[in-house]
Amino acid sequence: MAGNENSYEGRQNHIRTLALPAIEVFENIYPDRDYNIHLNFPEFTAICPKTGLPDFGVVDLDYTPDKVCLELKSLKEYFLAFRSVGIFHENVVNRVLDDLIDVARMRSAKISVVYNARGGIVTTVSRSYNRA
Amino acid sequence: MAGNENSYEGRQNHIRTLALPAIEVFENIYPDRDYNIHLNFPEFTAICPKTGLPDFGVVDLDYTPDKVCLELKSLKEYFLAFRSVGIFHENVVNRVLDDLIDVARMRSAKISVVYNARGGIVTTVSRSYNRA
Amino acid sequence: MAGNENSYEGRQNHIRTLALPAIEVFENIYPDRDYNIHLNFPEFTAICPKTGLPDFGVVDLDYTPDKVCLELKSLKEYFLAFRSVGIFHENVVNRVLDDLIDVARMRSAKISVVYNARGGIVTTVSRSYNRA
Amino acid sequence: MAGNENSYEGRQNHIRTLALPAIEVFENIYPDRDYNIHLNFPEFTAICPKTGLPDFGVVDLDYTPDKVCLELKSLKEYFLAFRSVGIFHENVVNRVLDDLIDVARMRSAKISVVYNARGGIVTTVSRSYNRA
Amino acid sequence: MAGNENSYEGRQNHIRTLALPAIEVFENIYPDRDYNIHLNFPEFTAICPKTGLPDFGVVDLDYTPDKVCLELKSLKEYFLAFRSVGIFHENVVNRVLDDLIDVARMRSAKISVVYNARGGIVTTVSRSYNRA
Amino acid sequence: MAGNENSYEGRQNHIRTLALPAIEVFENIYPDRDYNIHLNFPEFTAICPKTGLPDFGVVDLDYTPDKVCLELKSLKEYFLAFRSVGIFHENVVNRVLDDLIDVARMRSAKISVVYNARGGIVTTVSRSYNRA
Amino acid sequence: MAGNENSYEGRQNHIRTLALPAIEVFENIYPDRDYNIHLNFPEFTAICPKTGLPDFGVVDLDYTPDKVCLELKSLKEYFLAFRSVGIFHENVVNRVLDDLIDVARMRSAKISVVYNARGGIVTTVSRSYNRA
Amino acid sequence: MAGNENSYEGRQNHIRTLALPAIEVFENIYPDRDYNIHLNFPEFTAICPKTGLPDFGVVDLDYTPDKVCLELKSLKEYFLAFRSVGIFHENVVNRVLDDLIDVARMRSAKISVVYNARGGIVTTVSRSYNRA
Amino acid sequence: MAGNENSYEGRQNHIRTLALPAIEVFENIYPDRDYNIHLNFPEFTAICPKTGLPDFGVVDLDYTPDKVCLELKSLKEYFLAFRSVGIFHENVVNRVLDDLIDVARMRSAKISVVYNARGGIVTTVSRSYNRA
Amino acid sequence: MAGNENSYEGRQNHIRTLALPAIEVFENIYPDRDYNIHLNFPEFTAICPKTGLPDFGVVDLDYTPDKVCLELKSLKEYFLAFRSVGIFHENVVNRVLDDLIDVARMRSAKISVVYNARGGIVTTVSRSYNRA
């Protein structure tokens, strides 16, 4: 296992606290209904921390709102902020879902990101959340 | 969270009571059978309340009728009435399903609307219903 | 709800007893095995009772035979008989499945009919059956 | 129900005992693992007992091996032997799966055969097996 | 059953211990989250032990990491090492998953390899793993 | 060559003069422009003169109008009239194009009909026309 | 041929002069190059003059600019203006291309509009232009 | 170049004169029109002369009839006769087109056969004919 | 026509001389052959000069080399440089092809860029070049 | 332009004379017919001279034979020989077509190779040949 302190994985611990634009929400006028919102954002791009080259991916979000819904314009700006961030695939998925749960307290949520092939390998990372 | 009283989400509270054409029904001659009717309406269009520009979507309905079935001609006119209504994606799905349940008292129902991309984001909203 | 006695739905009550060609069966030589037979009949056509114009659909049948299997040639003739029958989508599905159960006493069965769009709406009707 | 003794279904009772080439097996070197092998054989052809004309189908096998795996070359020869056999769709599926279970004693297995359309009808026959 | 000691299946027992390049891992910075990583490697090639000719396949891996994630560059080199190895389809899947579990101790994992047709037969081998 | 006077091909000579509904036209308000109109009619059905069974096909028309355009409602009724006509594939294409040229005197036209498979053979018949 | 003065085709002569929003253009900074611009506008909707019901279509434009290019925002507004216009399929294509040529004097241009099926018929209208 | 007299290519010279079932024709009742007939026969099978194993292919014929058209039932029987013939891909195409020209004297014709992969290679053989 | 000096089209004149990374070439060792090289670069991104938001597109290049071929690594870096450049769709295509011709003096070349939809419009810009 | 004598392009000049397995041919028994043979070989793999990593591609050959046809088994072995050869995409296409012309003296030929993406770029190289 690669473990020296200069390794790239070490340099990613700051991802959990990296400053990113705020995601706004708006009032759900049907909080008395359980329903699902699916958002597909096919133009995600970030920087690979190892090579400095851009990565490209397709983000799918799926959630059951509680009191608020995600406001799309601020969500788009939040995703655009990754354009110059060096971040690994796994961390994008976890950081984004943590942020969404923080701001919208949804009843349940799923996220997946399918990345364009690098080195002949296509990577998809996904995670589900159910409010206890 | 955006919350001032002039915000667009505030202006959408009237959606729950907005007047829309009546949906007619006809007698189900097989009420002693549990069966499923799926309706796909690919030409839904409404107005975005924020931009005033048209939105386009594909509506899928799925239900198990009880005593009556939805009459297609009046259902189509009901959907056409949204052509000049300013309404958010989430509210279309909830208002339509509430209206359908009201008029047809079906055993169960599902609705989903897939909207054409806006700002590079494809939104799908869906909801399920099971009569208690 | 449309309810006058001249309404088309009233005229459809005879569908449950309308004379149709007999469906033949043949002996299942593997009655000691549970297995599935799926039949896809893409050339179903009947007449719309409201407009008098032809409707077109794709029929899918799926069943687990018991003592007998459905004989395809007579089944095809049974479907062809609908070519001049005025019948609503929902009733086709229910009448056909009732007839199949009557003649073949299968362990379980499913039917779906996907109709070509009329007035911009695609209708699919389906029903499942499990022998008690 | 067609039942006279000259009917074709009567002539198919011999299918359960018809001589066919042996299917060979080889030792599974990972018998301590539960894993799945899927085989797709898109070039199955037999003879229709009623018309004497060739039928064509696609065979899919899926199984969890126990002590042995199916040897592909002998399996292919086994399938090729049907090229001159008059046999109904339902019987192919049942006879083949019975033979495979006999020789390989797999933990579980599935088979399906999708036949090319005859008389405008596409037939698929399938069966599953789980060792008690 | 083919069983003489010169048979090819005998020659494959060494596969369980064959030397292959080490797969490296890196620290999972979200070990407190259950999430899924899917890797698609469409350029797998090995040698058929019977014919000496190359086989080609598509490898799909799917796992929920625990403390570490699989490092892609070393994983790719691990797969490249099969380019000159004579190995049967079934054994590739079992050997690879055993190696991955050894090095990454993931919470769960799945692997499937879809091989290009040989002799008109397409073979897919797959296996799932759940840590007890 | 089959040539006795009772052969089915003999019985088709009347097709060139068979009475069919009139196709209406309307004034082309852009006769000073060369442009193309393509019509796709996926629900064509007629009767096979040999078997008496229905045939199904997809009609594609393509034409450059001169002074008039084809009126769709009457064109649809014209096609519906074939529902009970016994006519071979080749003759449908020739009769229809002759009728269209007669009524609309278009600058150029093409027709093709793709028929559903019969006896395992898919037939497409097509013809082009350019006004001298 | 339908020809009475109340017929719908008569009511369409005003289409050639109907007021529509202006389409803006911008300077082509590569007028010394022959190149092609293709625009796909999948959300065209207008009103059927016969039924008063909405039609839906996909517009494809293709042109080689000369001194100016079409400005997309004003082009979009131009298309949106058809939302409440009663106009036949053929006339949309001819009016739009005439307007584009007027404003942009392109070296060549093509337009096609594929309309959603009405009465089971899919209509596509297209026209090409080459500057003399 | 393989050239000894026992080579398989030598054994194929008889293909040009091999006895095959007659293809029947019927009178073209539109000989005054140039039109095209396309026939797709997806169930061609013959025997590989080298291995004795079956080959499978899809035949496409395309022709402009003169005085006669090909009769489909006899054409199908003609193709079925190849089921037990050992013949190379190239020779099928040439022999069939020669036979069709002989019997139907069409104005022009094309044939192609796409064969299922053997040894990982997909072979398509095609030929065109125009009557001088 | 939009023409004020602050308009965005005015601000794009510098595009023809904007500094970009050099594209390297390597010797074509088959200059005595006319052959074609097609490069597909699906990850192009630049900035929209009007909105400041990223645009995304797929670049296709096609050329017949003369004495040199385009070196892929430097070509990729050249494309990556657009990531922070504000440039309109039309200008990307023209600037890139001019640069490629300058450096590689190919016998012929084509370029097309398909951009992701903006405002519901998909734009494709393309240009061909043939050395005189 | 990269031009130093150690550059990789210099190291590729030997490709034109590199020893490769002989491609065998067999007698064309229809040399009096112009017909086409298309071969699709989807499992081509060679080594990238710069990185030492494997490349993968799909080869399509298309030719009109004269006196001889390409023998598939030897052609396959010829392609397999590239498995360990370091060779650039452009050179594969040119070397292979030169070899095929040498051995088969066909009337015309085409070759294309579509390579799997490397560094996010898909490369296709193609060349046509017509005997003078």
Side-chain angles (χ1 to χ4, degrees), chain J residues 21-55:
Chain J
I23 300 164
E24 299 202 355
V25 295
F26 64 88
E27 185 195 350
N28 175 11
I29 74 167
Y30 283 94
D32 49 336
R33 308 281 184 248
D34 259 340
Y35 67 99
N36 190 269
I37 299 171
H38 183 108
L39 305 171
N40 169 275
F41 184 77
E43 297 177 343
F44 181 82
T45 179
I47 301 295
C48 172
K50 287 173 88 169
T51 63
L53 294 172
D55 282 328

mmCIF file of all heavy atoms in Angstrom, chain J residues 21-55:
data_model
loop_
_atom_site.group_PDB
_atom_site.id
_atom_site.type_symbol
_atom_site.label_atom_id
_atom_site.label_comp_id
_atom_site.label_asym_id
_atom_site.label_seq_id
_atom_site.Cartn_x
_atom_site.Cartn_y
_atom_site.Cartn_z
ATOM 1 N N PRO J 21 4.328 -12.874 -40.793
ATOM 2 C CA PRO J 21 3.918 -14.158 -41.386
ATOM 3 C C PRO J 21 3.328 -13.956 -42.785
ATOM 4 O O PRO J 21 2.709 -12.930 -43.063
ATOM 5 C CB PRO J 21 2.838 -14.671 -40.424
ATOM 6 C CG PRO J 21 3.038 -13.946 -39.153
ATOM 7 C CD PRO J 21 3.631 -12.620 -39.516
ATOM 8 N N ALA J 22 3.502 -14.949 -43.649
ATOM 9 C CA ALA J 22 2.954 -14.890 -45.006
ATOM 10 C C ALA J 22 1.435 -15.004 -44.971
ATOM 11 O O ALA J 22 0.875 -15.734 -44.154
ATOM 12 C CB ALA J 22 3.537 -16.025 -45.837
ATOM 13 N N ILE J 23 0.762 -14.256 -45.846
ATOM 14 C CA ILE J 23 -0.684 -14.367 -46.014
ATOM 15 C C ILE J 23 -0.927 -15.279 -47.211
ATOM 16 O O ILE J 23 -0.407 -15.026 -48.305
ATOM 17 C CB ILE J 23 -1.302 -12.975 -46.294
ATOM 18 C CG1 ILE J 23 -1.020 -12.030 -45.116
ATOM 19 C CG2 ILE J 23 -2.800 -13.081 -46.547
ATOM 20 C CD1 ILE J 23 -1.237 -10.564 -45.457
ATOM 21 N N GLU J 24 -1.683 -16.338 -47.014
ATOM 22 C CA GLU J 24 -1.939 -17.250 -48.126
ATOM 23 C C GLU J 24 -3.189 -16.820 -48.889
ATOM 24 O O GLU J 24 -4.025 -16.050 -48.381
ATOM 25 C CB GLU J 24 -2.113 -18.675 -47.608
ATOM 26 C CG GLU J 24 -0.837 -19.140 -46.908
ATOM 27 C CD GLU J 24 -0.716 -20.638 -46.829
ATOM 28 O OE1 GLU J 24 -1.663 -21.350 -47.227
ATOM 29 O OE2 GLU J 24 0.348 -21.114 -46.366
ATOM 30 N N VAL J 25 -3.297 -17.311 -50.113
ATOM 31 C CA VAL J 25 -4.457 -17.002 -50.949
ATOM 32 C C VAL J 25 -4.985 -18.305 -51.547
ATOM 33 O O VAL J 25 -4.320 -19.335 -51.488
ATOM 34 C CB VAL J 25 -4.093 -16.031 -52.091
ATOM 35 C CG1 VAL J 25 -3.685 -14.686 -51.529
ATOM 36 C CG2 VAL J 25 -3.011 -16.614 -52.971
ATOM 37 N N PHE J 26 -6.208 -18.257 -52.061
ATOM 38 C CA PHE J 26 -6.720 -19.424 -52.778
ATOM 39 C C PHE J 26 -7.375 -18.936 -54.070
ATOM 40 O O PHE J 26 -7.706 -17.752 -54.210
ATOM 41 C CB PHE J 26 -7.678 -20.257 -51.917
ATOM 42 C CG PHE J 26 -8.941 -19.549 -51.509
ATOM 43 C CD1 PHE J 26 -10.080 -19.581 -52.325
ATOM 44 C CD2 PHE J 26 -9.002 -18.862 -50.313
ATOM 45 C CE1 PHE J 26 -11.245 -18.931 -51.937
ATOM 46 C CE2 PHE J 26 -10.166 -18.196 -49.934
ATOM 47 C CZ PHE J 26 -11.286 -18.235 -50.739
ATOM 48 N N GLU J 27 -7.536 -19.853 -54.998
ATOM 49 C CA GLU J 27 -8.051 -19.510 -56.326
ATOM 50 C C GLU J 27 -9.485 -18.963 -56.245
ATOM 51 O O GLU J 27 -10.348 -19.558 -55.594
ATOM 52 C CB GLU J 27 -8.042 -20.780 -57.185
ATOM 53 C CG GLU J 27 -8.433 -20.517 -58.622
ATOM 54 C CD GLU J 27 -8.763 -21.822 -59.356
ATOM 55 O OE1 GLU J 27 -8.498 -22.914 -58.777
ATOM 56 O OE2 GLU J 27 -9.302 -21.752 -60.472
ATOM 57 N N ASN J 28 -9.747 -17.852 -56.886
ATOM 58 C CA ASN J 28 -11.092 -17.281 -57.019
ATOM 59 C C ASN J 28 -11.791 -18.027 -58.152
ATOM 60 O O ASN J 28 -11.374 -17.928 -59.310
ATOM 61 C CB ASN J 28 -10.968 -15.784 -57.355
ATOM 62 C CG ASN J 28 -12.314 -15.148 -57.639
ATOM 63 O OD1 ASN J 28 -13.375 -15.735 -57.396
ATOM 64 N ND2 ASN J 28 -12.283 -13.927 -58.173
ATOM 65 N N ILE J 29 -12.843 -18.792 -57.828
ATOM 66 C CA ILE J 29 -13.462 -19.571 -58.904
ATOM 67 C C ILE J 29 -14.485 -18.741 -59.681
ATOM 68 O O ILE J 29 -15.105 -19.230 -60.610
ATOM 69 C CB ILE J 29 -14.061 -20.908 -58.398
ATOM 70 C CG1 ILE J 29 -15.342 -20.717 -57.610
ATOM 71 C CG2 ILE J 29 -13.031 -21.718 -57.629
ATOM 72 C CD1 ILE J 29 -16.094 -22.029 -57.386
ATOM 73 N N TYR J 30 -14.671 -17.491 -59.297
ATOM 74 C CA TYR J 30 -15.521 -16.571 -60.072
ATOM 75 C C TYR J 30 -14.727 -15.341 -60.527
ATOM 76 O O TYR J 30 -15.157 -14.202 -60.317
ATOM 77 C CB TYR J 30 -16.739 -16.136 -59.242
ATOM 78 C CG TYR J 30 -17.838 -17.172 -59.143
ATOM 79 C CD1 TYR J 30 -17.907 -18.049 -58.072
ATOM 80 C CD2 TYR J 30 -18.822 -17.270 -60.141
ATOM 81 C CE1 TYR J 30 -18.925 -19.006 -57.984
ATOM 82 C CE2 TYR J 30 -19.836 -18.220 -60.056
ATOM 83 C CZ TYR J 30 -19.884 -19.084 -58.969
ATOM 84 O OH TYR J 30 -20.892 -20.015 -58.892
ATOM 85 N N PRO J 31 -13.557 -15.526 -61.167
ATOM 86 C CA PRO J 31 -12.755 -14.356 -61.574
ATOM 87 C C PRO J 31 -13.440 -13.547 -62.667
ATOM 88 O O PRO J 31 -13.079 -12.397 -62.927
ATOM 89 C CB PRO J 31 -11.446 -14.977 -62.089
ATOM 90 C CG PRO J 31 -11.828 -16.346 -62.530
ATOM 91 C CD PRO J 31 -12.921 -16.794 -61.602
ATOM 92 N N ASP J 32 -14.424 -14.132 -63.311
ATOM 93 C CA ASP J 32 -15.178 -13.439 -64.369
ATOM 94 C C ASP J 32 -16.284 -12.558 -63.797
ATOM 95 O O ASP J 32 -17.093 -12.005 -64.543
ATOM 96 C CB ASP J 32 -15.771 -14.477 -65.332
ATOM 97 C CG ASP J 32 -16.501 -15.608 -64.595
ATOM 98 O OD1 ASP J 32 -16.178 -15.848 -63.403
ATOM 99 O OD2 ASP J 32 -17.381 -16.250 -65.191
ATOM 100 N N ARG J 33 -16.386 -12.446 -62.488
ATOM 101 C CA ARG J 33 -17.380 -11.579 -61.830
ATOM 102 C C ARG J 33 -16.653 -10.541 -60.984
ATOM 103 O O ARG J 33 -15.670 -10.876 -60.320
ATOM 104 C CB ARG J 33 -18.274 -12.409 -60.872
ATOM 105 C CG ARG J 33 -18.919 -13.628 -61.467
ATOM 106 C CD ARG J 33 -20.135 -13.274 -62.279
ATOM 107 N NE ARG J 33 -20.830 -14.456 -62.776
ATOM 108 C CZ ARG J 33 -20.892 -14.777 -64.063
ATOM 109 N NH1 ARG J 33 -20.288 -14.035 -64.990
ATOM 110 N NH2 ARG J 33 -21.570 -15.847 -64.453
ATOM 111 N N ASP J 34 -17.150 -9.321 -60.983
ATOM 112 C CA ASP J 34 -16.666 -8.289 -60.055
ATOM 113 C C ASP J 34 -17.504 -8.388 -58.796
ATOM 114 O O ASP J 34 -18.708 -8.110 -58.836
ATOM 115 C CB ASP J 34 -16.850 -6.895 -60.674
ATOM 116 C CG ASP J 34 -15.563 -6.348 -61.256
ATOM 117 O OD1 ASP J 34 -14.474 -6.816 -60.872
ATOM 118 O OD2 ASP J 34 -15.657 -5.453 -62.114
ATOM 119 N N TYR J 35 -16.897 -8.773 -57.697
ATOM 120 C CA TYR J 35 -17.675 -8.824 -56.468
ATOM 121 C C TYR J 35 -16.792 -8.398 -55.309
ATOM 122 O O TYR J 35 -15.582 -8.245 -55.456
ATOM 123 C CB TYR J 35 -18.294 -10.211 -56.248
ATOM 124 C CG TYR J 35 -17.327 -11.325 -55.988
ATOM 125 C CD1 TYR J 35 -17.068 -11.758 -54.689
ATOM 126 C CD2 TYR J 35 -16.688 -11.975 -57.034
ATOM 127 C CE1 TYR J 35 -16.190 -12.792 -54.438
ATOM 128 C CE2 TYR J 35 -15.811 -13.018 -56.791
ATOM 129 C CZ TYR J 35 -15.558 -13.420 -55.487
ATOM 130 O OH TYR J 35 -14.683 -14.448 -55.244
ATOM 131 N N ASN J 36 -17.422 -8.173 -54.164
ATOM 132 C CA ASN J 36 -16.730 -7.557 -53.038
ATOM 133 C C ASN J 36 -16.709 -8.479 -51.832
ATOM 134 O O ASN J 36 -17.725 -9.114 -51.515
ATOM 135 C CB ASN J 36 -17.461 -6.256 -52.681
ATOM 136 C CG ASN J 36 -16.677 -5.456 -51.689
ATOM 137 O OD1 ASN J 36 -16.868 -5.625 -50.499
ATOM 138 N ND2 ASN J 36 -15.760 -4.632 -52.151
ATOM 139 N N ILE J 37 -15.565 -8.501 -51.163
ATOM 140 C CA ILE J 37 -15.439 -9.268 -49.913
ATOM 141 C C ILE J 37 -15.056 -8.293 -48.808
ATOM 142 O O ILE J 37 -14.094 -7.535 -48.948
ATOM 143 C CB ILE J 37 -14.375 -10.381 -50.048
ATOM 144 C CG1 ILE J 37 -14.786 -11.357 -51.154
ATOM 145 C CG2 ILE J 37 -14.168 -11.102 -48.716
ATOM 146 C CD1 ILE J 37 -13.721 -12.367 -51.511
ATOM 147 N N HIS J 38 -15.856 -8.307 -47.735
ATOM 148 C CA HIS J 38 -15.579 -7.433 -46.596
ATOM 149 C C HIS J 38 -15.224 -8.305 -45.398
ATOM 150 O O HIS J 38 -15.983 -9.201 -45.033
ATOM 151 C CB HIS J 38 -16.808 -6.578 -46.279
ATOM 152 C CG HIS J 38 -16.577 -5.606 -45.172
ATOM 153 N ND1 HIS J 38 -16.464 -4.262 -45.375
ATOM 154 C CD2 HIS J 38 -16.401 -5.801 -43.843
ATOM 155 C CE1 HIS J 38 -16.234 -3.669 -44.226
ATOM 156 N NE2 HIS J 38 -16.194 -4.586 -43.268
ATOM 157 N N LEU J 39 -14.094 -8.017 -44.762
ATOM 158 C CA LEU J 39 -13.659 -8.785 -43.589
ATOM 159 C C LEU J 39 -13.555 -7.835 -42.411
ATOM 160 O O LEU J 39 -12.934 -6.776 -42.509
ATOM 161 C CB LEU J 39 -12.298 -9.437 -43.855
ATOM 162 C CG LEU J 39 -12.226 -10.307 -45.103
ATOM 163 C CD1 LEU J 39 -10.793 -10.724 -45.380
ATOM 164 C CD2 LEU J 39 -13.120 -11.536 -44.950
ATOM 165 N N ASN J 40 -14.173 -8.213 -41.309
ATOM 166 C CA ASN J 40 -14.137 -7.393 -40.093
ATOM 167 C C ASN J 40 -13.423 -8.198 -39.015
ATOM 168 O O ASN J 40 -13.853 -9.291 -38.657
ATOM 169 C CB ASN J 40 -15.575 -7.057 -39.677
ATOM 170 C CG ASN J 40 -15.652 -6.451 -38.293
ATOM 171 O OD1 ASN J 40 -15.700 -7.164 -37.297
ATOM 172 N ND2 ASN J 40 -15.647 -5.137 -38.209
ATOM 173 N N PHE J 41 -12.299 -7.658 -38.516
ATOM 174 C CA PHE J 41 -11.470 -8.343 -37.530
ATOM 175 C C PHE J 41 -11.432 -7.471 -36.281
ATOM 176 O O PHE J 41 -10.631 -6.553 -36.176
ATOM 177 C CB PHE J 41 -10.069 -8.547 -38.122
ATOM 178 C CG PHE J 41 -9.140 -9.328 -37.248
ATOM 179 C CD1 PHE J 41 -9.236 -10.711 -37.152
ATOM 180 C CD2 PHE J 41 -8.150 -8.687 -36.512
ATOM 181 C CE1 PHE J 41 -8.363 -11.437 -36.341
ATOM 182 C CE2 PHE J 41 -7.282 -9.405 -35.687
ATOM 183 C CZ PHE J 41 -7.389 -10.791 -35.617
ATOM 184 N N PRO J 42 -12.323 -7.740 -35.319
ATOM 185 C CA PRO J 42 -12.476 -6.798 -34.195
ATOM 186 C C PRO J 42 -11.467 -6.995 -33.067
ATOM 187 O O PRO J 42 -11.601 -6.362 -32.042
ATOM 188 C CB PRO J 42 -13.898 -7.090 -33.693
ATOM 189 C CG PRO J 42 -14.168 -8.495 -34.092
ATOM 190 C CD PRO J 42 -13.341 -8.798 -35.307
ATOM 191 N N GLU J 43 -10.466 -7.832 -33.239
ATOM 192 C CA GLU J 43 -9.582 -8.155 -32.116
ATOM 193 C C GLU J 43 -8.122 -7.864 -32.424
ATOM 194 O O GLU J 43 -7.230 -8.623 -32.038
ATOM 195 C CB GLU J 43 -9.755 -9.633 -31.747
ATOM 196 C CG GLU J 43 -11.167 -9.963 -31.270
ATOM 197 C CD GLU J 43 -11.380 -11.430 -30.964
ATOM 198 O OE1 GLU J 43 -10.566 -12.257 -31.414
ATOM 199 O OE2 GLU J 43 -12.362 -11.745 -30.266
ATOM 200 N N PHE J 44 -7.860 -6.749 -33.108
ATOM 201 C CA PHE J 44 -6.478 -6.390 -33.406
ATOM 202 C C PHE J 44 -5.830 -5.764 -32.175
ATOM 203 O O PHE J 44 -6.404 -4.903 -31.518
ATOM 204 C CB PHE J 44 -6.438 -5.389 -34.570
ATOM 205 C CG PHE J 44 -5.049 -4.998 -34.953
ATOM 206 C CD1 PHE J 44 -4.298 -5.822 -35.787
ATOM 207 C CD2 PHE J 44 -4.475 -3.838 -34.478
ATOM 208 C CE1 PHE J 44 -2.991 -5.475 -36.139
ATOM 209 C CE2 PHE J 44 -3.170 -3.492 -34.819
ATOM 210 C CZ PHE J 44 -2.429 -4.303 -35.649
ATOM 211 N N THR J 45 -4.611 -6.201 -31.881
ATOM 212 C CA THR J 45 -3.859 -5.564 -30.792
ATOM 213 C C THR J 45 -2.381 -5.521 -31.151
ATOM 214 O O THR J 45 -1.839 -6.463 -31.734
ATOM 215 C CB THR J 45 -4.110 -6.252 -29.431
ATOM 216 O OG1 THR J 45 -3.320 -5.594 -28.434
ATOM 217 C CG2 THR J 45 -3.771 -7.715 -29.437
ATOM 218 N N ALA J 46 -1.758 -4.381 -30.853
ATOM 219 C CA ALA J 46 -0.323 -4.197 -31.071
ATOM 220 C C ALA J 46 0.225 -3.435 -29.857
ATOM 221 O O ALA J 46 -0.500 -3.224 -28.886
ATOM 222 C CB ALA J 46 -0.080 -3.408 -32.362
ATOM 223 N N ILE J 47 1.486 -3.049 -29.916
ATOM 224 C CA ILE J 47 2.108 -2.333 -28.793
ATOM 225 C C ILE J 47 2.402 -0.891 -29.222
ATOM 226 O O ILE J 47 2.892 -0.661 -30.329
ATOM 227 C CB ILE J 47 3.432 -3.036 -28.384
ATOM 228 C CG1 ILE J 47 3.161 -4.490 -27.971
ATOM 229 C CG2 ILE J 47 4.137 -2.275 -27.246
ATOM 230 C CD1 ILE J 47 2.324 -4.672 -26.734
ATOM 231 N N CYS J 48 2.097 0.061 -28.339
ATOM 232 C CA CYS J 48 2.424 1.462 -28.621
ATOM 233 C C CYS J 48 3.933 1.648 -28.472
ATOM 234 O O CYS J 48 4.495 1.344 -27.407
ATOM 235 C CB CYS J 48 1.681 2.381 -27.649
ATOM 236 S SG CYS J 48 2.206 4.099 -27.776
ATOM 237 N N PRO J 49 4.643 2.137 -29.505
ATOM 238 C CA PRO J 49 6.106 2.273 -29.421
ATOM 239 C C PRO J 49 6.550 3.278 -28.365
ATOM 240 O O PRO J 49 7.669 3.193 -27.874
ATOM 241 C CB PRO J 49 6.500 2.764 -30.818
ATOM 242 C CG PRO J 49 5.335 2.475 -31.703
ATOM 243 C CD PRO J 49 4.134 2.528 -30.823
ATOM 244 N N LYS J 50 5.678 4.234 -28.021
ATOM 245 C CA LYS J 50 6.094 5.251 -27.046
ATOM 246 C C LYS J 50 5.958 4.776 -25.610
ATOM 247 O O LYS J 50 6.834 5.005 -24.786
ATOM 248 C CB LYS J 50 5.234 6.521 -27.214
ATOM 249 C CG LYS J 50 5.595 7.304 -28.457
ATOM 250 C CD LYS J 50 4.628 8.435 -28.667
ATOM 251 C CE LYS J 50 5.044 9.702 -27.934
ATOM 252 N NZ LYS J 50 4.224 10.859 -28.385
ATOM 253 N N THR J 51 4.858 4.089 -25.306
ATOM 254 C CA THR J 51 4.575 3.737 -23.914
ATOM 255 C C THR J 51 4.833 2.262 -23.619
ATOM 256 O O THR J 51 4.910 1.880 -22.454
ATOM 257 C CB THR J 51 3.078 3.998 -23.600
ATOM 258 O OG1 THR J 51 2.292 3.136 -24.434
ATOM 259 C CG2 THR J 51 2.705 5.442 -23.859
ATOM 260 N N GLY J 52 4.943 1.431 -24.643
ATOM 261 C CA GLY J 52 5.107 0.004 -24.400
ATOM 262 C C GLY J 52 3.812 -0.670 -23.994
ATOM 263 O O GLY J 52 3.779 -1.874 -23.727
ATOM 264 N N LEU J 53 2.713 0.084 -23.929
ATOM 265 C CA LEU J 53 1.413 -0.479 -23.530
ATOM 266 C C LEU J 53 0.648 -0.962 -24.755
ATOM 267 O O LEU J 53 0.845 -0.474 -25.862
ATOM 268 C CB LEU J 53 0.596 0.574 -22.789
ATOM 269 C CG LEU J 53 1.165 1.003 -21.437
ATOM 270 C CD1 LEU J 53 0.373 2.186 -20.882
ATOM 271 C CD2 LEU J 53 1.117 -0.172 -20.450
ATOM 272 N N PRO J 54 -0.251 -1.946 -24.564
ATOM 273 C CA PRO J 54 -0.993 -2.461 -25.723
ATOM 274 C C PRO J 54 -2.000 -1.457 -26.264
ATOM 275 O O PRO J 54 -2.614 -0.708 -25.513
ATOM 276 C CB PRO J 54 -1.719 -3.695 -25.168
ATOM 277 C CG PRO J 54 -1.698 -3.563 -23.697
ATOM 278 C CD PRO J 54 -0.532 -2.715 -23.333
ATOM 279 N N ASP J 55 -2.154 -1.459 -27.580
ATOM 280 C CA ASP J 55 -3.228 -0.745 -28.267
ATOM 281 C C ASP J 55 -4.227 -1.786 -28.769
ATOM 282 O O ASP J 55 -3.859 -2.927 -29.030
ATOM 283 C CB ASP J 55 -2.676 0.023 -29.489
ATOM 284 C CG ASP J 55 -1.978 1.308 -29.096
ATOM 285 O OD1 ASP J 55 -2.378 1.929 -28.102
ATOM 286 O OD2 ASP J 55 -1.020 1.686 -29.798
#
